[in-house]
Amino acid sequence: MVATLNRLPQPTSQSVPANRPQAQAKPAAPRREKLAVIDCDIHAAMPNDATLFKYLPTRWQQHHTTFGMRGHVGGAYPRAVPNAARLDSWPPNGVPGGDLDFMRQQLLDEWDLAYGILTPLYGAGGMLNLEYGAALASAINDWQIAEWVEPEPRLRGSILVAYEDGELAAQEIDRVGDNPGFVQVLLVVRTREPLGHRKYWKMYEAAVRHDLPIAIHFGGNGGAPITGAGWPSHYIEDHGGMPQAFQPQVISLVTEGIFELFPTLKIVLIEGGFAWVPPLMWRMDQTWQRLKAEAPRVKRLPSDYVRDHFWITTQPMEEPPQPRYFEQLLTQMNMNDKLMFATDYPHWDFDAPDRALPATLPLEVRRNIMAENARKLYKLD
Amino acid sequence: MVATLNRLPQPTSQSVPANRPQAQAKPAAPRREKLAVIDCDIHAAMPNDATLFKYLPTRWQQHHTTFGMRGHVGGAYPRAVPNAARLDSWPPNGVPGGDLDFMRQQLLDEWDLAYGILTPLYGAGGMLNLEYGAALASAINDWQIAEWVEPEPRLRGSILVAYEDGELAAQEIDRVGDNPGFVQVLLVVRTREPLGHRKYWKMYEAAVRHDLPIAIHFGGNGGAPITGAGWPSHYIEDHGGMPQAFQPQVISLVTEGIFELFPTLKIVLIEGGFAWVPPLMWRMDQTWQRLKAEAPRVKRLPSDYVRDHFWITTQPMEEPPQPRYFEQLLTQMNMNDKLMFATDYPHWDFDAPDRALPATLPLEVRRNIMAENARKLYKLD
């Protein structure tokens, strides 16, 4: 949250515990086949309140200064990794992801990215004061265009919205949705209600109206325990258990018949992994065959909707103990046209483009995952 | 819940919607190789309050009559399947699972079961009045021994406990845990807190003291939304999403170091499926390798604990669209010595013994899953 960013200490070598996660360094070894790379998860960050206030109306500047950000308590990042960022991602001044020149050098040029999709995590949509959240979202959106997308042709933005109110979200999508600098609408996965609920429908209507996918990113907090069995004690459980928040969202979107109501709606799942997708599809299909009378808007096998309407980013890349299990996973999932590479820059669990996918995968599959699926979905070039 | 059972209508042919789930009939075709069968999930049911009161102290009879059962609101069964039961499982008098002679005929003899494990679902452990819950649990336990296990040598019982209080649970385990008619302690999966929390530790101490596994069954309600993203609208989401309650329990038990504290503790997961286990193990291992400093009681790969300490029952059997995916699942899981067959009798989604496992599985694997893994775990014969 912007209000606290400036108070975070700059990391020093002394502050690094022996076992803290290391950012992946670029290897010296020669690269494999040269593939285009599109990075679908880059966390641009608002460097300070002064920047925010350039885009925030006076009424909400005063609110921000006086009352600050107020949302549900939810998951948090470990403190030893300030801003959850790679140690080397701190620009000389400011915060990781807060400096375009530094990011250009460290990410866009370094890895020769064709495109990068900004996914600023600012918590605007999680504000309990929904109108304040909507004002923050608008400010962040205007900032993305003015300070990132217009100066850097390889970048595209994501529309933040006050997603807990479908109408507020729709208003913002209508306000900026025709700007070609935006390629999707961005939510976080732990919402107050499952995303199939009626309160979110106007947001989907607006997204479809502008032909923008809805992206759902790791994180957030809906005001309730983050698992179906209460609050876990550890960050490691929060991080390891994040797929448990993605699963009910997939179930809800399919079961509420969202893709019958909005047949052109596309959903992008970011940073939730994907090994859980095949077992979830099997169970949804099995349950639906027996209980479909309860949800008559669902006309097809649930897995058909998943395969048609969901795109999924790769980071954190699944790491089964046997490489062949990864190949089995891709086969079972049958969504190679929907997987999209992401680094999660500048976060500590960054996936490097040259190491993310096993070299044993067919070149065509790697090419599509590394860039072509995203190029098509986001209409890049 | 017993208080309402007598008021449920007897199902009639008119009450059956066209699409309601059908109990699986026994096929006429000749059987495959004759394997021993041990059924690890049989829901014996208390037929009425008069039976309960034979085992419940007067003080709690009065409470039961005056105040009734009071717990959190959670998932519920569909109304078209009263008691979630097979249509043909209603004995001439009483409720499905409430009549030993009828069950003997319909399940034990019909399928020639070597043994069956009773898993009465009574909600005792979910009571907000913990002492009332403990009294109910004791009554159900005494009833299991007196009216099921002693008259029928093929049956074994599960110890119900007021699991939200570790000491109350331990007291009940100490009270009846040495009775050889009991083979495990029974909880439901949606608890108020993840099961690794300290409040549950005395229960594990007691279970280990009597060398009894802890069984965790589908269902329950911990007072919070049943997913990490709020309340879903449909039963189909509740049912399809049940693995999302099992996953945080596995993560919590491993991450809190429960198996370092209680190295002989065994956990049985009942009716949660298992296709989600390999992806969960991969993610836990991956997260642990990066963040293990947070949970230093964990000494080994999380998947090692899962493979050593967890047993899993089969019903509802996973049904991937390709038979080879099922075989890949078993290979990835590498827990063929831990899977145990279950029917879920008398519930509507009963798995018949002769159809549960693909015939393509090696005979030895089928033999172990159908009976031998349970025989060993529960020390039967």
Side-chain angles (χ1 to χ4, degrees):
Chain A
M1 294 181 181
V2 156
T4 61
L5 288 185
N6 294 329
R7 282 183 271 117
L8 285 172
Q10 289 282 108
T12 65
S13 56
Q14 291 90 324
S15 73
V16 183
N19 64 330
R20 80 184 295 286
Q22 295 299 313
Q24 289 171 249
K26 188 181 169 189
R31 295 200 183 172
R32 303 193 303 234
E33 303 85 349
K34 175 71 179 167
L35 296 177
V37 178
I38 296 176
D39 180 352
C40 294
D41 190 19
I42 303 177
H43 296 294
M46 185 70 81
N48 50 45
D49 279 359
T51 308
L52 174 67
F53 285 4
K54 286 162 53 185
Y55 303 94
L56 195 67
T58 310
R59 180 257 183 276
W60 290 114
Q61 290 180 30
Q62 289 166 348
H63 181 95
H64 185 84
T65 303
T66 310
F67 300 102
M69 298 180 80
R70 187 171 154 269
H72 290 293
V73 172
Y77 290 123
R79 185 172 175 175
V81 196
N83 290 34
R86 284 168 40 176
L87 273 192
D88 65 345
S89 72
W90 289 78
N93 293 303
V95 295
D99 183 313
L100 173 57
D101 284 335
F102 193 84
M103 178 195 287
R104 197 183 265 133
Q105 176 190 331
Q106 189 170 50
L107 182 68
L108 303 177
D109 294 346
E110 172 79 0
W111 294 104
D112 195 18
L113 299 189
Y115 290 94
I117 313 298
L118 300 177
T119 50
L121 296 177
Y122 196 78
M127 292 297 96
L128 294 172
N129 182 325
L130 293 173
E131 293 172 21
Y132 172 44
L136 285 177
S138 295
I140 303 289
N141 294 336
D142 291 343
W143 163 78
Q144 286 181 75
I145 294 296
E147 305 201 14
W148 296 83
V149 176
E150 287 184 352
E152 174 48 67
R154 287 171 291 182
L155 292 177
R156 295 292 182 277
S158 298
I159 302 173
L160 268 60
V161 293
Y163 49 78
E164 294 296 352
D165 186 275
E167 291 198 18
L168 284 175
Q171 283 169 23
E172 182 64 9
I173 296 169
D174 283 336
R175 187 180 76 86
V176 298
D178 288 337
N179 186 320
F182 288 115
V183 294
Q184 63 191 1
V185 176
L186 182 65
L187 324 178
V188 289
V189 72
R190 286 182 182 141
T191 48
R192 291 190 211 165
E193 297 190 77
L195 283 165
H197 280 207
R198 301 180 72 92
K199 64 182 267 197
Y200 302 109
W201 291 8
K202 286 201 185 303
M203 174 170 65
Y204 305 135
E205 274 177 28
V208 162
R209 195 153 58 232
H210 298 273
D211 198 18
L212 290 166
I214 298 280
I216 306 173
H217 189 283
F218 177 111
N221 39 80
I226 61 176
T227 85
W231 279 106
S233 308
H234 300 86
Y235 172 71
I236 193 174
E237 298 177 76
D238 181 348
H239 189 283
M242 193 58 73
Q244 297 155 41
F246 282 90
Q247 292 168 44
Q249 301 292 24
V250 174
I251 293 175
S252 174
L253 288 164
V254 169
T255 307
E256 302 272 5
I258 296 302
F259 305 110
E260 292 293 335
L261 295 168
F262 307 105
T264 60
L265 183 63
K266 302 176 181 74
I267 305 287
V268 183
L269 305 180
I270 302 180
E271 206 176 330
F274 51 92
W276 49 269
V277 173
L280 186 78
M281 291 198 291
W282 304 343
R283 187 162 178 116
M284 288 172 75
D285 287 354
Q286 192 169 345
T287 307
W288 178 74
Q289 279 155 342
R290 294 175 179 182
L291 296 169
K292 56 186 149 191
E294 193 197 11
R297 260 200 306 274
V298 181
K299 306 294 185 206
R300 304 157 61 204
L301 267 182
S303 58
D304 288 344
Y305 294 104
V306 175
R307 290 209 174 85
D308 286 354
H309 291 273
F310 285 84
W311 278 251
I312 307 178
T313 66
T314 57
Q315 188 279 338
M317 180 58 70
E318 315 288 340
E319 295 173 13
Q322 302 286 338
R324 75 175 188 281
Y325 296 170
F326 186 83
E327 290 167 29
Q328 290 171 352
L329 164 60
L330 293 189
T331 303
Q332 293 177 6
M333 203 156 107
N334 191 18
M335 292 176 70
N336 283 348
D337 59 333
K338 298 289 199 301
L339 286 173
M340 306 192 296
F341 174 74
T343 64
D344 195 28
Y345 179 89
H347 287 179
W348 65 272
D349 44 354
F350 180 83
D351 274 352
D354 65 344
R355 296 185 179 187
L357 292 177
T360 52
L361 283 185
L363 178 63
E364 191 62 21
V365 172
R366 282 186 285 130
R367 175 178 290 126
N368 289 338
I369 295 176
M370 292 307 293
E372 302 313 316
N373 293 337
R375 201 188 302 269
K376 198 167 159 192
L377 174 68
Y378 294 131
K379 302 178 198 133
L380 304 169
D381 297 344
Chain B
M1 295 184 180
V2 157
T4 62
L5 288 186
N6 295 328
R7 282 184 272 117
L8 286 172
Q10 289 282 110
T12 65
S13 57
Q14 291 91 326
S15 73
V16 184
N19 64 328
R20 80 183 296 285
Q22 295 298 313
Q24 289 171 248
K26 190 179 166 190
R31 295 200 183 170
R32 303 192 304 234
E33 303 85 346
K34 174 71 179 169
L35 297 177
V37 178
I38 295 177
D39 180 353
C40 295
D41 190 18
I42 303 177
H43 296 295
M46 186 70 81
N48 50 47
D49 280 358
T51 308
L52 173 67
F53 285 4
K54 285 162 53 186
Y55 302 94
L56 195 67
T58 310
R59 179 257 182 278
W60 290 115
Q61 290 181 29
Q62 289 166 349
H63 182 96
H64 185 85
T65 303
T66 310
F67 300 103
M69 298 180 79
R70 188 173 152 267
H72 291 293
V73 173
Y77 290 123
R79 185 172 176 175
V81 196
N83 290 33
R86 284 168 41 177
L87 274 193
D88 64 346
S89 72
W90 289 78
N93 293 304
V95 295
D99 182 313
L100 174 56
D101 284 336
F102 192 84
M103 178 195 287
R104 198 183 264 133
Q105 178 189 331
Q106 189 169 50
L107 182 68
L108 303 178
D109 295 346
E110 172 79 358
W111 294 102
D112 195 17
L113 300 190
Y115 290 95
I117 313 298
L118 300 177
T119 50
L121 296 178
Y122 196 78
M127 292 298 95
L128 294 171
N129 182 325
L130 293 172
E131 294 172 22
Y132 172 44
L136 285 177
S138 295
I140 303 288
N141 294 337
D142 292 343
W143 163 76
Q144 285 182 76
I145 294 295
E147 306 200 15
W148 297 82
V149 175
E150 287 185 351
E152 173 48 67
R154 287 171 290 183
L155 292 176
R156 294 292 182 277
S158 297
I159 302 173
L160 268 61
V161 293
Y163 48 77
E164 293 296 352
D165 187 274
E167 292 198 18
L168 283 175
Q171 283 169 23
E172 182 64 9
I173 295 169
D174 283 336
R175 187 179 76 85
V176 299
D178 288 338
N179 185 320
F182 288 116
V183 294
Q184 63 190 2
V185 176
L186 182 65
L187 325 177
V188 289
V189 72
R190 286 181 182 142
T191 49
R192 290 189 212 166
E193 297 191 76
L195 283 165
H197 280 208
R198 301 180 73 92
K199 63 181 270 196
Y200 302 109
W201 290 9
K202 287 201 185 303
M203 175 169 66
Y204 305 137
E205 275 178 25
V208 162
R209 196 153 57 232
H210 298 274
D211 198 18
L212 289 166
I214 299 279
I216 306 173
H217 189 282
F218 178 111
N221 39 81
I226 61 176
T227 85
W231 279 106
S233 309
H234 300 86
Y235 172 72
I236 193 173
E237 298 177 77
D238 181 349
H239 188 284
M242 193 58 72
Q244 296 155 42
F246 281 91
Q247 292 167 45
Q249 300 292 25
V250 173
I251 293 174
S252 174
L253 288 164
V254 169
T255 307
E256 301 273 5
I258 295 301
F259 305 109
E260 293 293 335
L261 295 168
F262 308 104
T264 60
L265 183 63
K266 302 175 180 75
I267 306 287
V268 183
L269 305 180
I270 302 180
E271 206 176 331
F274 53 91
W276 49 269
V277 173
L280 186 78
M281 292 197 291
W282 303 344
R283 187 163 179 116
M284 287 171 76
D285 287 353
Q286 194 169 343
T287 308
W288 178 75
Q289 279 154 344
R290 295 174 179 184
L291 297 169
K292 55 186 148 191
E294 194 197 10
R297 260 200 304 275
V298 181
K299 306 294 184 205
R300 304 157 60 204
L301 268 181
S303 58
D304 288 344
Y305 295 105
V306 175
R307 290 210 174 84
D308 286 353
H309 292 273
F310 285 83
W311 279 250
I312 306 178
T313 66
T314 56
Q315 188 279 338
M317 180 59 71
E318 315 287 341
E319 295 173 14
Q322 301 286 337
R324 76 176 187 279
Y325 296 171
F326 186 82
E327 289 167 30
Q328 290 171 354
L329 164 60
L330 293 189
T331 303
Q332 294 177 6
M333 205 156 106
N334 191 18
M335 293 176 71
N336 283 349
D337 60 334
K338 297 289 198 301
L339 286 173
M340 306 191 296
F341 174 73
T343 64
D344 195 29
Y345 178 90
H347 288 178
W348 65 272
D349 43 356
F350 180 83
D351 273 353
D354 63 345
R355 296 184 178 186
L357 293 176
T360 51
L361 283 185
L363 178 62
E364 192 62 20
V365 172
R366 281 186 285 131
R367 176 178 290 128
N368 289 338
I369 295 176
M370 292 307 293
E372 302 314 317
N373 293 338
R375 201 189 301 271
K376 198 166 160 192
L377 174 68
Y378 294 132
K379 301 178 199 136
L380 302 169
D381 298 346

